[in-house]
Amino acid sequence: MQPVEQRDEVEMLSLMLLIRRFEERASQQYQAQKIGGFCHLYIGQEAVVTGAIAAVRPDDYVITAYRDHGHACCSRGLGGSMHFFDKRHHMYGGHAIVAAHVPLGVGLAFAIKYRGEDRVTLCFFGDGAINQGSFHEALNLAALYRLPIIFICENNLFAMGTSVKRSTSLKQIVDRAEGYDIPGEIVDGMNFREVRDKVAEVADSIRKESHPAFLEVRTYRYRGHSMSDPASYRTKDELEKYRLDDPIIRLRAQLTREGKLTNEQFDQLDKRAKETVLAAVKFAEESPELPVEKLYDYVYFNGAKS
Amino acid sequence: MREITYRQALNEALAEELERDPNVFLMGEEVAEYQGAYKVSAGLLQRFGPRRIIDTPISENGFAGLGIGAAMVGLRPIIEFMTFSFSLVAFDQVVNNAPNMFMMSGGQFNIPITFRGPNGPAHQLGATHSHATENFYASVPGLKVCTPATPRDAKGLLKTAVRDDNPVLVLEAELLYSSKGMVEPPDEELLIPLGKAEVKREGSDVTVVCYAQTVPIALKVAAQLEEEGISAEIVDLRSIKPLDEQAIFASVAKTHRVVIVEQDHPFCGVGAEICYRIQKDIFDALDAPILRVSQEDVPMPYNEHLEHAVLPNPEKLIAAIRRVCYA
């Protein structure tokens, strides 16, 4: 496994680009009615999942809520908008009931400790999840049993149309962790390197001695909650302010300044990202639909009918 | 064969499955140091240690979800609800996560989890502790639900449930824990398949479909009615889902009359589904309408007499049988 510092930052930048281009294309496809139901875009938050994944091993466990396209891209898995799963890459979903997956994440961590492994579980969720009962039960269990899990709150300031200020009794989300005797820190989620370095530090500590940790990663989504949200609950000025913090532009500028990336190289990366996304669209459009009879194969493992 | 209690049968099943497969663990409130709220897990902590037998805080949603997450990566959790009335706090986990994961992940993640514990009314436990949840859970695609009535069935079904690679609910009954029955000796592996009913008593005049706590009621009534010349065939479902409709149909084809006696509420209860299937598939075999005996459609009162009036009992069952027999 490659040590964190040596993991190619240019590769990570291209992954962030892939997510960005994927999400832009998903938005178009949704508007063209090729994607149905809900569609929650990760645009603006790319540094959070990419930084976190860059900091851990391929055999660590990842689980998240419904804004999961970025997490899926990182594990190269595909499924259906809110429910991406990829067993091979240890991506355990893609979950739609707010905070209901947080106990699942604790279960993944429980299994790690049960087996005496030194993996960690990365459990992502949004600022809306921290007031749900299952979140509280999960944190208490993780602390009580000293499980190897990093609770990563992607605080993009809004749960749908409700700001953190209007939903949460504490001034800072990270303070919730203190109530469970879990160490917590705030991280700038628009800064790839800061996310990566902090997650690496915490993961390292957990591998040495199993315990939970909490990171409040402050980020921003440039689009609405979902495709049907015009986001009138925030001002244009606020959006413009956060656009200046675009994590992709930021990492690009750092790498360019340090002589690790030229403009031509960046353009190549972007071109490749767009091509990959277009190939994915083509693959999706050319893939056959599942025959209706096959539905019953997915009720029980081994296909037994009731 | 030797005579043991339903409680001992469950204890044996747990111990055997824990012994057999290191991925199996038992988790729930008071299962370890307290030896089980109803002593079902007595001795297991001493034998298997705290890594395998785990006490939890009062966090049903949390530990049900923990079990499902652990099952996603190949452990085989047995999650105990102290009573299935408390499972309602974890309803989202049991209904949204356990049964859906296989389909949502396109077949990548099956959930080999067992949820077990006492279910249904007992004695004067009040409206919030008396829920019969079998019909709630049986209506969810992706779950399996069984309801053992005897020690033998309890042992055989729990063992099968633990080995099943899907979420299985084993709905026991507090009032049956001390009941006794004959069970194979421990050196004989006892596995009873899910989805298979059992004719507990053969008869020719009427089919009585029952499960869990209504099985002893039905057997008692059958013995009594035999003396009046009514021969009742007692079909113990053992599993609610999958439902053994072939066993039901075979009995009805023979007797032409049906009474269903169930421990749940009438509206959308288990018996409603069975009625539908019988009249749909073997309508012409019936010589009378199908009757159901269930709880009354009221929240469970605490008062002893009122509770007795709410619950299914031998008198109500006898009256229903006489009606379908036009006797």
Side-chain angles (χ1 to χ4, degrees):
Chain A
M1 320 276 180
Q2 265 189 305
V4 166
E5 314 78 53
Q6 283 170 13
R7 193 76 75 84
D8 190 43
E9 286 183 328
V10 173
E11 189 197 323
M12 291 297 115
L13 178 65
S14 74
L15 196 49
M16 282 168 47
L17 262 171
L18 177 64
I19 298 170
R20 179 67 59 94
R21 296 308 180 208
F22 180 93
E23 294 295 71
E24 287 169 350
R25 182 63 58 173
S27 171
Q28 288 170 5
Q29 292 292 304
Y30 189 89
Q31 280 161 333
Q33 299 186 324
K34 296 288 186 65
I35 297 173
F38 293 124
C39 187
H40 307 88
L41 301 175
Y42 202 65
I43 295 172
Q45 299 183 217
E46 295 87 351
V48 182
V49 68
T50 315
I53 297 296
V56 296
R57 301 187 326 216
D59 68 330
D60 289 319
Y61 296 156
V62 174
I63 190 167
T64 186
Y66 49 75
R67 197 174 304 282
D68 62 344
H69 301 176
H71 307 73
C73 285
C74 281
S75 63
R76 279 86 164 168
L78 287 170
S81 182
M82 293 197 287
H83 300 297
F84 286 132
F85 291 83
D86 188 348
K87 189 171 187 174
R88 202 157 51 97
H89 294 103
H90 301 293
M91 206 303 209
Y92 296 94
H95 297 275
I97 302 291
V98 175
H101 69 287
V102 184
L104 301 187
V106 171
L108 298 176
F110 176 91
I112 291 170
K113 188 166 185 181
Y114 187 89
R115 292 176 165 135
E117 297 168 345
D118 70 340
R119 292 185 226 245
V120 298
T121 297
L122 301 183
C123 182
F124 297 85
F125 46 88
D127 44 276
I130 62 147
N131 298 313
Q132 186 77 275
S134 52
F135 166 88
H136 292 271
E137 295 188 24
L139 259 64
N140 181 57
L141 286 167
L144 192 67
Y145 298 151
R146 295 197 58 74
L147 298 178
I149 181 167
I150 310 179
F151 294 107
I152 301 177
C153 178
E154 301 193 57
N155 179 8
N156 61 19
L157 308 185
F158 293 94
M160 209 156 135
T162 303
S163 65
V164 174
K165 268 198 286 286
R166 290 208 298 136
S167 72
T168 301
S169 59
L170 293 174
K171 293 242 178 332
Q172 293 185 139
I173 285 178
V174 70
D175 294 341
R176 282 250 182 271
E178 205 186 338
Y180 298 98
D181 205 23
I182 294 176
E185 291 188 64
I186 296 172
V187 179
D188 177 4
M190 305 311 255
N191 183 337
F192 167 82
R193 286 175 173 170
E194 187 173 318
V195 176
R196 178 200 59 198
D197 292 345
K198 182 53 65 178
V199 173
E201 177 195 319
V202 172
D204 203 55
S205 160
I206 291 175
R207 288 188 222 280
K208 291 196 173 74
E209 192 186 326
S210 180
H211 68 90
F214 191 103
L215 296 175
E216 177 190 337
V217 182
R218 293 189 174 170
T219 180
Y220 201 80
R221 51 169 162 77
Y222 293 150
R223 303 285 184 94
H225 161 72
S226 69
M227 287 302 300
S228 46
D229 175 25
S232 45
Y233 42 81
R234 56 191 190 182
T235 63
K236 267 206 151 79
D237 289 342
E238 182 183 280
L239 178 56
E240 282 317 304
K241 183 185 100 172
Y242 281 99
R243 275 201 180 284
L244 295 175
D245 266 340
D246 190 320
I248 292 174
I249 294 175
R250 198 167 181 175
L251 183 59
R252 177 189 180 180
Q254 283 169 310
L255 290 170
T256 307
R257 252 198 327 269
E258 292 160 8
K260 295 173 182 163
L261 182 73
T262 65
N263 285 340
E264 291 75 36
Q265 282 170 325
F266 181 83
D267 289 342
Q268 270 300 104
L269 294 179
D270 199 13
K271 183 161 175 283
R272 213 174 64 208
K274 288 176 177 168
E275 282 167 5
T276 305
V277 171
L278 278 173
V281 173
K282 187 165 183 287
F283 176 82
E285 284 178 340
E286 290 173 2
S287 294
E289 293 264 1
L290 192 75
V292 174
E293 316 79 66
K294 285 261 171 201
L295 264 181
Y296 288 92
D297 293 351
Y298 292 102
V299 179
Y300 298 124
F301 183 50
N302 290 335
K305 293 184 196 169
S306 66
Chain B
M1 303 283 270
R2 69 243 141 88
E3 191 180 58
I4 57 172
T5 63
Y6 188 112
R7 178 187 291 106
Q8 283 169 300
L10 290 170
N11 187 274
E12 283 185 8
L14 291 171
E16 286 172 23
E17 294 308 299
L18 283 157
E19 182 69 51
R20 178 181 175 267
D21 185 348
N23 288 320
V24 174
F25 66 91
L26 173 67
M27 175 175 268
E29 294 157 6
E30 312 297 357
V31 298
E33 294 190 13
Y34 196 87
Q35 309 292 307
Y38 297 99
K39 303 291 177 271
V40 172
S41 55
L44 296 182
L45 175 65
Q46 289 83 314
R47 182 165 163 194
F48 295 101
R51 181 175 158 270
R52 315 271 312 274
I53 314 295
I54 302 145
D55 280 333
T56 65
I58 304 173
S59 305
E60 278 82 2
N61 189 298
F63 64 76
L66 186 160
I68 297 165
M72 285 180 83
V73 287
L75 293 187
R76 303 192 82 94
I78 303 172
I79 301 295
E80 175 175 308
F81 290 120
M82 192 184 278
T83 131
F84 267 83
S85 290
F86 301 166
S87 75
L88 303 182
V89 188
F91 201 67
D92 182 63
Q93 296 294 342
V94 180
V95 161
N96 256 331
N97 282 338
N100 286 337
M101 208 65 75
F102 191 59
M103 170 159 311
M104 290 197 299
S105 68
Q108 293 180 79
F109 297 110
N110 62 297
I111 308 296
I113 195 167
T114 301
F115 293 105
R116 55 154 291 274
N119 173 67
H123 279 150
Q124 297 190 263
L125 299 188
T128 67
H129 277 48
S130 300
H131 287 283
T133 63
E134 55 270 23
N135 54 329
F136 304 163
Y137 292 122
S139 74
V140 178
L143 293 180
K144 298 187 185 182
V145 179
C146 68
T147 51
T150 64
R152 183 173 186 270
D153 291 336
K155 182 171 180 181
L157 286 171
L158 179 53
K159 282 167 69 75
T160 299
V162 173
R163 297 188 199 189
D164 197 307
D165 290 329
N166 298 283
V168 183
L169 276 59
V170 181
L171 305 184
E172 303 153 10
E174 185 209 316
L175 294 181
L176 295 177
Y177 280 153
S178 300
S179 68
K180 295 192 178 125
M182 301 302 282
V183 183
E184 282 78 336
D187 57 347
E188 265 180 57
E189 186 89 274
L190 175 60
L191 291 167
I192 292 177
L194 294 166
K196 283 267 166 285
E198 187 178 51
V199 176
K200 287 293 202 283
R201 181 188 173 118
E202 286 187 18
S204 51
D205 295 329
V206 58
T207 297
V208 178
V209 181
C210 53
Y211 63 90
Q213 295 182 76
T214 58
V215 173
I217 296 175
L219 288 169
K220 179 173 164 190
V221 163
Q224 192 179 323
L225 286 177
E226 188 78 57
E227 287 159 29
E228 286 180 35
I230 296 178
S231 162
E233 179 152 284
I234 309 302
V235 178
D236 175 2
L237 292 175
R238 299 202 297 191
S239 285
I240 306 299
K241 198 167 194 200
L243 183 72
D244 191 351
E245 53 179 33
Q246 291 311 316
I248 300 170
F249 296 163
S251 179
V252 177
K254 199 169 63 156
T255 68
H256 311 293
R257 296 162 205 280
V258 189
V259 176
I260 302 165
V261 56
E262 53 193 295
Q263 60 177 29
D264 58 1
H265 290 110
F267 199 105
C268 291
V270 167
E273 174 69 16
I274 296 172
C275 283
Y276 171 71
R277 294 200 195 191
I278 293 173
Q279 63 83 43
K280 174 169 84 84
D281 283 344
I282 52 167
F283 181 78
D284 291 326
L286 291 171
D287 284 348
I290 304 170
L291 291 185
R292 292 166 64 199
V293 176
S294 67
Q295 285 194 44
E296 299 306 312
D297 204 357
V298 298
M300 182 62 83
Y302 164 78
N303 175 277
E304 191 178 18
H305 294 296
L306 291 178
E307 182 178 61
H308 180 82
V310 169
L311 291 172
N313 59 45
E315 292 72 43
K316 294 182 189 178
L317 180 54
I318 289 170
I321 290 173
R322 289 211 177 102
R323 275 187 64 192
V324 301
C325 289
Y326 297 100

